[in-house]
Structure formats: C-alpha cells, structure tokens
Amino acid sequence: MKVSNKEIAAAINKTPSAISYLKKTNINEFHILKLGVLCQKLNLDNEDLMAMYQLKQIELKKIAS
C-alpha cells in the first residue's frame, strides 16, 4: 500500500512540498511519519504492531534453528 506525500502532509498539517523537503533532509523522520499514516490507513494500533513484532521474532527463531 502506498502513502503519498499529500497524505503525510494532511496528517501533520504541513504542505506536500514540506514533506518532500523532509524526505530529502531527514529520511528517518520521513519514514516514521509514513509508517504512522500507513498504520492509520490500515487501522493498526500499538497492540497490532506488538503482535506482528512477536510473530516476526517467532519466525526468526524458526529460521535460526
């Protein structure tokens, strides 16, 4: 699923051009904002994210064994 600069801008009350500038100057913050908007679009909360993290850890343990 894609998240546009326009969607990120609307979520934090900035302009799409400000988001483009942020992407060029602070990619880590841009990715965090993008992830937040994506979670909103998918209706994911902290519990959902923790459950996905735990499933990933279980899968990594299976691969390592």
Side-chain angles (χ1 to χ4, degrees):
M1 179 176 281
K2 285 190 156 197
V3 175
S4 69
N5 287 357
K6 187 176 180 180
E7 290 172 304
I8 297 170
I12 62 169
N13 216 16
K14 299 286 183 183
T15 63
S17 60
I19 301 304
S20 293
Y21 179 76
L22 178 67
K23 185 177 180 180
K24 292 176 187 172
T25 59
N26 191 340
I27 194 71
N28 291 333
E29 185 176 348
F30 171 79
H31 284 297
I32 291 169
L33 292 172
K34 185 176 178 179
L35 181 59
V37 172
L38 184 59
C39 286
Q40 235 179 2
K41 286 175 82 171
L42 294 173
N43 194 28
L44 299 173
D45 61 14
N46 288 343
E47 290 176 11
D48 296 327
L49 295 175
M50 285 302 298
M52 286 189 286
Y53 174 77
Q54 289 171 347
L55 287 172
K56 184 177 180 181
Q57 295 307 308
I58 291 168
E59 191 62 33
L60 289 175
K61 286 179 185 176
K62 286 181 185 177
I63 292 171
S65 321

